Amino acid sequence: MQPKIIGGESGSLKTRGLTLSAFVLALLMAPVALASDNTDAAVGGGLGGVLGNVVGGKVGGSTGAAIGAGVGGAAGSAVAAPKGSRTEAAVGGGLGSAGGSVIGNSLGGSTGSAIGAGVGGAAGGAVGNNLGSDDGHSHSGSKHKHSNKHHNKHR
């Protein structure tokens, strides 16, 4: 007696279909939702979040999916962000992907988790990149450092 396969598909085909659909959705959603200079970090965070989610889910279930999404979203956002705002983009992409993975999992299982990781990583990467790319003018207060280069020049 052979075991009956429900659905007629093997696990690898389901994973491939899930990865492809989440990948396409992340590609389509990121530029539309965040059309500005932050598109690269958004796409990087979305794609990294989706891929990390799928790989982490295969290794460690829903907890592994959330961890994988966070790491993937952070890495994708940091790689795609410009040099001055990589840290902020990585933090935003990682937190957005992990949060989206957890929320998506509770709403729609593993497919919702992958979609949530992609959209959350895209949004978080773009917001983090935007916060980091203000040319260093985000310091608290309005104190400016003045140079004393010519202080004793005419003595």
Side-chain angles (χ1 to χ4, degrees):
M1 184 187 251
Q2 292 183 341
K4 191 174 184 181
I5 298 174
I6 299 173
E9 292 183 12
S10 67
S12 64
L13 289 177
K14 287 182 181 180
T15 303
R16 229 180 288 152
L18 172 66
T19 303
L20 182 62
S21 64
F23 182 76
V24 169
L25 183 67
L27 276 176
L28 292 175
M29 291 297 292
V32 171
L34 304 158
S36 67
D37 293 338
N38 302 319
T39 305
D40 290 341
V43 170
L47 295 179
V50 168
L51 295 175
N53 182 287
V54 171
V55 172
K58 285 294 175 189
V59 173
S62 61
T63 304
I67 293 170
V71 171
S77 292
V79 167
K83 192 172 187 179
S85 60
R86 286 184 181 153
T87 303
E88 291 88 352
V91 170
L95 291 176
S97 292
S101 174
V102 171
I103 293 171
N105 187 34
S106 66
L107 295 176
S110 61
T111 303
S113 177
I115 292 170
V119 174
V127 169
N129 183 38
N130 191 24
L131 291 175
S133 65
D134 62 356
D135 297 328
H137 291 91
S138 62
H139 302 292
S140 60
S142 61
K143 298 178 183 177
H144 296 285
K145 183 177 179 183
H146 296 283
S147 174
N148 291 324
K149 183 176 180 181
H150 302 289
H151 184 66
N152 293 325
K153 186 174 183 179
H154 296 290
R155 282 195 171 187

